Amino acid sequence: QVQLVESGGGLVQAGGSLRLSCAASGRTFSSYSMGWFRQAPGKEREFVVAINWSGTNTYYADSVKGRFTISRDNAKNTLYLQMNSLKPDDTAVYYCAAGRRADYVLRSSRTYDYWGQGTQVTVSS
């Protein structure tokens, strides 16, 4: 089992940047494929980006491609999401998730086994 704690959210103006972190504890972080999801008020949780255990494969939602960058540091048990050129539509609670299918880049929330509590990102216009 792994515990996930997100941090780094906040309020930023449109065009600004934020860096989210997801600290993992418990079982070996490198045993998991990782992903970021987000949920805006009144909307379903949506996929943002995912990365396999080694960081060699990633997959981005079209809405964030070219603006967001996912990375992981297995030595520090930490997942990151660098968010640049933020837009008001990026406003949401952002969640990190861990999936046991470590070799794969997982896009569906149903394929993840563990979730963090979320961190709020608010982008003002």
Side-chain angles (χ1 to χ4, degrees), residues 30 32-33 51-57 72 74 102-103:
S30 59
Y32 297 94
S33 182
I51 189 168
N52 70 334
W53 76 272
S54 62
T56 53
N57 291 316
R72 64 189 297 163
N74 288 341
D103 290 339

Side-chain angles (χ1 to χ4, degrees), residues 2 5 12 20 27 32 38 41 50-52 58 62 65 75 91 105 118:
V2 64
V5 179
V12 64
L20 305 184
R27 196 177 167 189
Y32 297 94
R38 66 186 182 186
I51 189 168
N52 70 334
T58 59
D62 287 343
K65 199 173 297 182
T91 295
V105 176

